[in-house]
Amino acid sequence: MANGVAYVSCELNGSRAHILTVDLEADGVGVGVLMPDHLAATERPSTMGQEAGAVAVVNGDFFNNREDGHPDEPHTDAPVGPVVVDGEDLKGPVPGEQRMGPRRYGQFTANDTVFGITTGGRARVSSLHVDGEIRTPIGSFELDAVNQYAIPDGGIGAFTPEWGPETRNRAVCGTDDDRHGPCSEKVTEVTVVDGVVSTVNDLYSDWSGVDPDETVFVARDSAADDLLELEVGDPVTWEYELVSPDGYEFTDALGGLPLIVDDEVVYDFSENDQQAPRTVVANSQDGLTVYMVVVDGRTDENPGVTLEQITALVQLLGVQGAVALDGGGSSLMAAARPDGDGLEVVSDPSDPWVLGEERPVANALAVFGDPSSVADDRNPPDSETAGPSAPASPLEGTWNVVATSPGQASTLVFDAEGNATYTSEGTIVDYWSGSVETEDGSVFTVDFTPSDSIYEEYGEDADPDDWAFTMTFELGPDGDTLVVSGEFGETEYVRAED
């Protein structure tokens, strides 16, 4: 596909999974956020990716694609979470229960979780919130929202030209605790052109989009009274940024549902047993590898997976952080064609309204590289050999025992297909072999059987079962240590250096 970018297709719980692995240290490789011409709009991921010259793309954040709670207000198509593109902070997270998509869990009830690429070139999961201020002749006011389809209760939001021509009416509907709540009856809109107030309105009807030279401030509930005191001609200055509590500065970031944060699964996802198409993006411990996973669904052949199942898959990759992007009919992966002529869809789209076609979405996550740098390396979706490589990847390599007695050194070797080999000095068996079985994200077992050397020693009547044994491996958080338990007690292994 491209230098530093690999694609594999495999089976996951009876459905087809598509996995991209992206090496951010490879020459010319990068990951970035794509969006249509403005925030309140949608476009097909493959179209955005092809226009941007990407070698691969997946769909992005959940978005405001329906308004069943406010039938009189058109949906905006704007994304739920924060958006950063090319170092520009474009949008903040909508408040609380104003989200679209699955319920958020545990302490992650806000919509501010993001997956992004830092200015240092590492992929990280964090959160971003709006930190802003409006300064006027009548006082300074906190800015609570930027280009959001929902403004917090009693808050002030700013809309910039990046919002686009769509209506802003939806921004004052619903509450922090109820997306279907009523629209505010007290609203003030202030338009600023070139740093000067041009209009002040206490209205709620027919709000058009934002012109290229405008900034529009919208205040709801109690904050509406504050901005209503402004007059045409008043000077107004304002500033804001999206701030991460982790201190990260992102060149590109988009919102998602947190699954794994700082090595920890954020919630017991077994409570959500819905099988569906899913899209997940994750990062390695050092942030230099990105994994993008799309699982097909909604057919008898591909029923989809639960949040718990796809979280378990990315755990096998040894990730430090992971977020679910929009799923269902939005889930999609496209990759460079073998001949280098643009992108082709490699997943199976499942939009219920246009089954088999791409759903236009609010944003996307793209991979950039040189598609001509290497030959095409993809496995076709019906490949019989592609599947086992993903589960084995956290263990792949050679592992040496720690603190063994002289003459009893042992070595474990795992290959990319999930096969394991155990060798030990001082035994008549040349080696033992078996296949890796996954218990959970960091625990694996192998039933080892001996090599044919037992027959050389004991003859054809030797019973291999007498020499077979089972080992259980627990992968350490650093990904470079294995604690092994079994018939030989508990032993620690470390990954051998390349």
Side-chain angles (χ1 to χ4, degrees):
M1 181 178 297
N3 180 44
V5 184
Y7 165 83
V8 65
S9 174
C10 62
E11 184 179 292
L12 175 64
N13 295 97
S15 292
R16 178 60 52 181
H18 309 267
I19 304 173
L20 280 171
T21 303
V22 184
D23 179 3
L24 296 179
E25 291 189 296
D27 290 342
V29 172
V31 171
V33 175
L34 303 179
M35 55 174 278
D37 291 339
H38 46 274
L39 288 161
T42 59
E43 183 56 270
R44 289 177 173 83
S46 66
T47 300
M48 288 189 280
Q50 188 146 316
E51 291 177 350
V55 297
V57 65
V58 298
N59 67 286
D61 193 7
F62 302 87
F63 61 106
N64 178 221
N65 61 347
R66 66 181 186 277
E67 265 311 321
D68 46 351
H70 306 94
D72 294 334
E73 305 304 335
H75 61 265
T76 65
D77 285 328
V80 171
V83 177
V84 182
V85 179
D86 291 335
E88 187 174 359
D89 297 343
L90 297 181
K91 179 188 175 295
V94 301
E97 292 301 317
Q98 291 272 18
R99 85 263 170 308
M100 306 290 286
R103 183 172 69 86
R104 295 178 182 267
Y105 300 98
Q107 73 270 37
F108 295 95
T109 55
N111 300 301
D112 56 359
T113 301
V114 295
F115 177 90
I117 307 299
T118 69
T119 53
R122 295 178 186 261
R124 291 299 181 203
V125 172
S126 186
S127 59
L128 291 172
H129 67 271
V130 174
D131 182 10
E133 184 181 42
I134 308 168
R135 293 180 288 273
T136 77
I138 62 173
S140 296
F141 305 97
E142 182 177 352
L143 183 65
D144 305 286
V146 175
N147 289 325
Q148 297 168 206
Y149 67 77
I151 297 171
D153 299 347
I156 301 174
F159 290 86
T160 71
E162 285 78 17
W163 173 259
E166 299 300 322
T167 177
R168 300 179 298 278
N169 288 20
R170 172 62 183 82
V172 295
C173 295
T175 68
D176 294 355
D177 300 320
D178 182 7
R179 178 160 58 91
H180 295 160
C183 300
S184 177
E185 296 181 355
K186 184 182 290 187
V187 179
T188 298
E189 179 191 72
V190 176
T191 302
V192 175
V193 178
D194 294 329
V196 176
V197 174
S198 62
T199 63
V200 180
N201 296 307
D202 57 339
L203 53 83
Y204 177 71
S205 64
D206 300 327
W207 293 350
S208 62
V210 183
D211 291 337
D213 61 345
E214 291 181 340
T215 300
V216 179
F217 298 101
V218 177
R220 61 174 295 178
D221 312 320
S222 58
D225 293 332
D226 296 328
L227 293 196
L228 194 56
E229 297 182 23
L230 287 171
E231 297 180 355
V232 173
D234 281 345
V236 173
T237 60
W238 70 294
E239 60 183 1
Y240 81 96
E241 61 180 336
L242 296 179
V243 177
S244 163
D246 302 310
Y248 296 135
E249 295 182 3
F250 290 98
T251 60
D252 288 82
L254 79 173
L257 176 75
L259 301 178
I260 300 172
V261 177
D262 294 331
D263 302 311
E264 299 291 334
V265 176
V266 302
Y267 198 77
D268 178 7
F269 292 111
S270 62
E271 292 189 3
N272 184 332
D273 61 357
Q274 180 183 9
Q275 290 181 290
R278 305 282 183 185
T279 302
V280 168
V281 61
N283 60 273
S284 61
Q285 296 290 329
D286 60 8
L288 295 175
T289 303
V290 173
Y291 303 98
M292 300 179 182
V293 182
V294 171
V295 181
D296 297 334
R298 285 187 172 155
T299 67
D300 292 339
E301 295 79 13
N302 287 300
V305 292
T306 66
L307 285 173
E308 182 181 33
Q309 289 168 337
I310 200 166
T311 301
L313 171 65
V314 294
Q315 275 188 296
L316 295 178
L317 301 171
V319 303
Q320 185 262 354
V323 301
L325 301 178
D326 195 6
S330 297
S331 283
L332 182 122
M333 180 183 290
R337 297 179 185 275
D339 59 7
D341 185 18
L343 301 179
E344 64 178 345
V345 176
V346 296
S347 62
D348 187 11
S350 64
D351 190 323
W353 291 281
V354 286
L355 191 63
E357 297 183 19
E358 281 187 71
R359 173 187 289 179
V361 297
N363 52 33
L365 196 62
V367 182
F368 299 94
D370 180 4
S372 64
S373 60
V374 293
D376 182 72
D377 60 359
R378 73 186 57 186
N379 293 307
D382 59 354
S383 170
E384 296 297 330
T385 61
S389 61
S393 58
L395 301 180
E396 185 178 355
T398 301
W399 301 76
N400 295 323
V401 72
V402 176
T404 185
S405 301
Q408 286 295 314
S410 59
T411 301
L412 288 162
V413 178
F414 301 93
D415 67 15
E417 282 71 47
N419 301 311
T421 303
Y422 172 85
T423 59
S424 179
E425 293 182 5
T427 63
I428 66 168
V429 179
D430 293 334
Y431 60 86
W432 285 260
S433 60
S435 298
V436 177
E437 297 290 335
T438 304
E439 298 295 327
D440 63 27
S442 60
V443 179
F444 312 85
T445 61
V446 176
D447 293 326
F448 282 106
T449 57
S451 67
D452 290 343
S453 58
I454 63 167
Y455 299 112
E456 298 173 6
E457 183 71 18
Y458 292 103
E460 294 182 2
D461 293 333
D463 187 353
D465 290 342
D466 292 340
W467 291 84
F469 59 91
T470 299
M471 278 187 170
T472 299
F473 310 93
E474 183 171 358
L475 185 64
D478 59 359
D480 289 324
T481 59
L482 274 179
V483 175
V484 179
S485 57
E487 295 181 19
F488 308 119
E490 188 171 287
T491 311
E492 184 177 0
Y493 286 73
V494 294
R495 190 187 295 274
E497 296 183 1
D498 295 334

